[in-house]
Amino acid sequence: MNSLERKAVIPIAGIYGLRMLGLFLILPVFAIYAEGLKDFTPALLGLALGAYGFTMAMLQIPFGWLSDRIGRKPVITAGLLIFAVGSVVAAMSDSIWGVIIGRALQGSGAIAAAMMALLADLTREEVRSKAMAMIGITIGSSFTVALIVGPLLDAWIGVNGIFWLIAVLALLSIGVLYVMVPNPDHSGMHRDVESRPGEFGRILSNPQLLRLDFGILILNAIMTAMFVALPFVLRDHLHIESIHQAWVYLPVLVVAMIVMVPLIIMAESKGKMKQVFLTSITLIAIACAMLGALHNSMFSVVAGLFLFFVAYNVLEATLPSLISRMAPIDAKGTAMGVYSTSQFFGAFLGGAVGGWCYGHYDVQGVFFGSVGLAVLWLLVAAGMSMPAMRSAIMLHVASDADASALEPGLLQIAGVYEARVVPEENTAFLRVNKKELDRAAVDALLGIKHEEAV
């Protein structure tokens, strides 16, 4: 990654991270705060937590398409302004309905797809995976920081103060967008990061991809539902006030992040992906069962949270990787768009269903309901075929290239397992085994001198 790309990627990752931090900050503290709002019910509590997921799921792909037409920065600016307005609405509301409206507005500022498109405009194909990994790390870090900092900010400025802070951060992000993020020389369609309307049929008819989409929906549903009940467990059953709850999350999250590393290495490098994947889902079910049955014990709660966050971190890291490997090589962006929509919709369902379960069956209803979802996911995932460990590469071709001739020729070359040539985009997409790949033969057939990794 050259210096210009670093100057673009770092502020983009910062904007993305701050926005997700704003969504996550209220997770550990909102349930208790909501008790003091007008019209409070457990069901509305869950709806307030998950409302952002519904609007984000509905609008993120359309916002990406809009950015192709009117430009990336105007769409991102509009999204951040909407996000800020939603935060102000939530901050000024003394009714839970007002917070629900504010959270829905926050989600309506759905800039994820437009941000990814801007990232693609500003990076070469060979470094784009690294750039996207930086954003992924930023999002994961935002979640961890939010669980620790949220309770501390709640004690200092209250939840309505957190909403005001989120609004300020959104406005500052607009300044970062225009001051620190360069304007791209050219904005184009990037199949590796953007959704294409004509590709949804292919993606939605692929049973392997649908299993993964179902999985991320369930994972985020369980995560959101947990924060309907968990603050009450810590306060009412373990007698830990909100300001001190950060010290429960801190050691659990730190150790869980350390433990997840060898599990991911085992999955990726040792060919144990399916075993690690199914084990992680099982750990989610065990963790939720422990929290449901033993939530009066500090040891059991901490152990349950540890198992949950180890498994959650592993699954959050491996699911996008599996999507990338299983998706058609020329439709990865569409596959990731469907995946992200499922992810956000899962947050909405988790809040709504978790609130209903809490209202009818107290905290144990939320956790045991989550066990049921995890077991269902385990049954769905058990029949999944894991993809071979192959790399996707993107190669430039001439606009007058003959795709019907090049694709069969590429498939005859050692190490090439999938090929798609799109002359109108000057691109050939390949899925290869780099250890077996006859690089010279590919170069000779396409008339190029080097390859560019996706």
Side-chain angles (χ1 to χ4, degrees), residues 64-262:
W65 291 339
L66 183 62
S67 77
D68 289 333
R69 292 180 174 272
I70 69 172
R72 314 300 190 199
K73 288 189 176 182
V75 169
I76 295 169
T77 301
L80 288 169
L81 286 172
I82 294 170
F83 182 77
V85 169
S87 302
V88 171
V89 169
M92 297 181 67
S93 298
D94 60 358
S95 163
I96 197 162
W97 282 109
V99 177
I100 291 170
I101 293 170
R103 289 284 280 173
L105 280 171
Q106 283 185 318
S108 297
I111 61 172
M115 291 287 287
M116 289 296 100
L118 178 60
L119 182 78
D121 288 339
L122 292 168
T123 55
R124 293 164 295 154
E125 293 89 348
E126 64 263 35
V127 300
R128 196 165 297 149
S129 292
K130 293 180 181 178
M132 293 177 69
M134 286 180 64
I135 289 181
I137 292 170
T138 302
I139 295 171
S141 300
S142 297
F143 179 74
T144 301
V145 169
L147 295 191
I148 298 167
V149 174
L152 301 177
L153 285 175
D154 178 35
W156 182 33
I157 58 176
V159 171
N160 59 337
I162 293 175
F163 279 124
W164 281 111
L165 176 62
I166 293 168
V168 171
L169 291 176
L171 296 177
L172 289 175
S173 294
I174 296 174
V176 171
L177 178 67
Y178 284 95
V179 173
M180 300 183 66
V181 179
N183 292 314
D185 294 330
H186 171 73
S187 291
M189 176 67 198
H190 307 277
R191 289 172 179 254
D192 56 328
V193 298
E194 293 186 74
S195 300
R196 291 172 60 89
E199 301 290 349
F200 286 108
R202 263 208 296 173
I203 300 304
L204 294 174
S205 62
N206 185 318
Q208 299 298 332
L209 292 176
L210 289 178
R211 281 188 171 97
L212 297 175
D213 295 333
F214 180 76
I216 193 61
L217 183 148
I218 295 297
L219 182 62
N220 275 266
I222 292 173
M223 188 273 289
T224 307
M226 282 189 64
F227 285 98
V228 171
L230 195 54
F232 295 119
V233 168
L234 296 177
R235 185 193 67 178
D236 299 336
H237 296 266
L238 300 181
H239 311 294
I240 302 172
E241 293 303 318
S242 178
I243 188 173
H244 301 302
Q245 291 177 9
W247 309 118
V248 176
Y249 294 121
L250 177 59
V252 169
L253 287 166
V254 171
V255 178
M257 290 180 69
I258 294 171
V259 171
M260 86 171 206
V261 174

Side-chain angles (χ1 to χ4, degrees), residues 229-426:
L230 195 54
F232 295 119
V233 168
L234 296 177
R235 185 193 67 178
D236 299 336
H237 296 266
L238 300 181
H239 311 294
I240 302 172
E241 293 303 318
S242 178
I243 188 173
H244 301 302
Q245 291 177 9
W247 309 118
V248 176
Y249 294 121
L250 177 59
V252 169
L253 287 166
V254 171
V255 178
M257 290 180 69
I258 294 171
V259 171
M260 86 171 206
V261 174
L263 292 175
I264 292 176
I265 293 173
M266 184 188 302
E268 296 281 356
S269 303
K270 306 297 183 182
K272 302 292 186 182
M273 178 64 79
K274 188 164 186 176
Q275 293 92 323
V276 171
F277 191 79
L278 296 180
T279 299
S280 297
I281 300 173
T282 303
L283 289 178
I284 293 281
I286 292 171
C288 292
M290 290 178 66
L291 292 168
L294 303 170
H295 51 264
N296 290 313
S297 162
M298 173 67 82
F299 175 82
S300 297
V301 169
V302 170
L305 287 175
F306 170 72
L307 293 177
F308 177 83
F309 285 120
V310 168
Y312 178 82
N313 288 334
V314 169
L315 292 166
E316 276 282 339
T318 54
L319 278 164
S321 174
L322 290 172
I323 285 280
S324 179
R325 290 177 188 154
M326 289 185 179
I329 50 173
D330 59 329
K332 286 171 59 180
T334 305
M336 288 304 300
V338 174
Y339 171 86
S340 296
T341 297
S342 302
Q343 184 176 26
F344 297 134
F345 195 63
F348 166 70
L349 285 179
V353 175
W356 183 88
C357 288
Y358 176 58
H360 286 77
Y361 305 107
D362 204 25
V363 294
Q364 61 266 25
V366 177
F367 295 124
F368 286 131
S370 297
V371 172
L373 290 177
V375 170
L376 177 60
W377 181 13
L378 188 62
L379 294 173
V380 171
M384 185 170 63
S385 300
M386 290 294 163
M389 297 295 289
R390 293 172 184 151
S391 302
I393 62 173
M394 182 185 295
L395 308 172
H396 292 287
V397 298
S399 58
D400 59 353
D402 185 352
S404 62
L406 285 176
E407 288 175 2
L410 288 166
L411 291 171
Q412 295 300 314
I413 296 174
V416 178
Y417 290 88
E418 193 175 349
R420 176 81 164 89
V421 178
V422 186
E424 61 271 23
E425 297 179 16
N426 300 108

